[in-house]
Amino acid sequence: MKPLYFVPFAVVALLLGAIFLPKLMANKADPEAAEALPSTFIGKPAPELALDGFAGQPELTAELLAGEGLKLVNFWASWCAPCRVEHPNLVAIAEAGVPIYGINYKDDPAKAADFLAELGNPYAAIGADTEGRNGFGWGVYGVPETYLIDGEGRIVLRVAGPVTSSSYARDLGPALEAAGIEVTLGE
C-alpha cells in the first residue's frame, strides 16, 4: 500500500480532534460542568411511586412526599461506592431534622439491609425499586441521586452523585439554610 492512501484518514482524524478535544478538556477543567446533569422535574410534582417493601421498614408512599416541610428522596444501593461515601452526610442531615426517604435501587435486599446495619439508617421510610422503574420515572442517571422536595410535593433541586461537603455547600446547603435548617457535616 502506498502511504498517500492514509493522508485522508489522518486529515479527518486531526479535524475531529480539533473539534472535540477542546470540549472534552473544558469538562475536565470545570468538574461542576460535568456534574451538572439537567432535570426536567425541577418545580414539578414528584413522580408517582410504585415500590416494594423493604426489610420491615416503614413503607415509602406518595403521601409522605406531599407532607409539610422539606424532605429528601435518596436513590441508593449497597453496591454503590459513592453511596457509602455520602452516607455519613445523610445521617447528619437526618439528625438535623430533615426527613430522608430512601429508595433502594436495583439491589439485593439482604445486602441493602446489611449496608444499613453497618452504617446506620438515616431513612424515615424506605422502598425498594428492584427493577429500576421508579428510578426511570424520576430521571435517575445512576445512584446516588438525591432530590429535595418541598411541602407541596414538588421537586426543588436534584443532586446527581453523592452528597459531599462540596455538593452540599453548592446545592443542598443553601436550600436547607433558607428554610432555617442548619446541618454540620462530618467531612
Side-chain angles (χ1 to χ4, degrees):
M1 287 189 107
K2 296 182 181 183
L4 291 176
Y5 289 129
F6 294 106
V7 170
F9 296 110
V11 168
V12 168
L14 286 171
L15 287 174
L16 288 175
I19 293 169
F20 292 108
L21 189 60
K23 292 180 184 195
L24 291 172
M25 295 310 291
N27 281 344
K28 297 283 186 200
D30 183 7
E32 287 184 19
E35 291 175 9
L37 298 173
S39 176
T40 59
F41 294 106
I42 302 299
K44 296 181 181 173
E48 291 294 318
L49 295 171
L51 301 166
D52 297 326
F54 183 86
Q57 297 292 316
E59 183 181 352
L60 176 53
T61 63
E63 290 78 27
L64 291 173
L65 299 184
E68 300 249 343
L70 294 175
K71 69 224 38 106
L72 297 178
V73 173
N74 176 251
F75 283 81
W76 65 282
S78 65
W79 47 262
C80 163
C83 295
R84 185 172 287 274
V85 169
E86 82 171 351
H87 203 78
N89 295 329
L90 295 180
V91 170
I93 293 168
E95 288 173 351
V98 179
I100 303 175
Y101 300 107
I103 299 179
N104 185 241
Y105 185 74
K106 296 183 179 183
D107 204 356
D108 177 289
K111 290 179 181 175
D114 289 346
F115 178 93
L116 293 178
E118 176 188 345
L119 299 175
N121 184 353
Y123 302 114
I126 302 174
D129 187 11
T130 52
E131 300 296 320
R133 290 188 180 109
N134 289 276
F136 180 77
W138 281 65
V140 170
Y141 284 87
V143 290
E145 284 197 24
T146 304
Y147 296 83
L148 180 63
I149 311 295
D150 69 12
E152 296 177 22
R154 290 185 314 247
I155 295 176
V156 176
L157 74 88
R158 172 176 168 258
V159 179
V163 175
T164 61
S165 58
S166 63
S167 71
Y168 180 85
R170 181 183 65 240
D171 301 318
L172 194 52
L176 292 177
E177 288 170 13
I181 302 168
E182 290 189 35
V183 177
T184 302
L185 300 183
E187 287 183 24

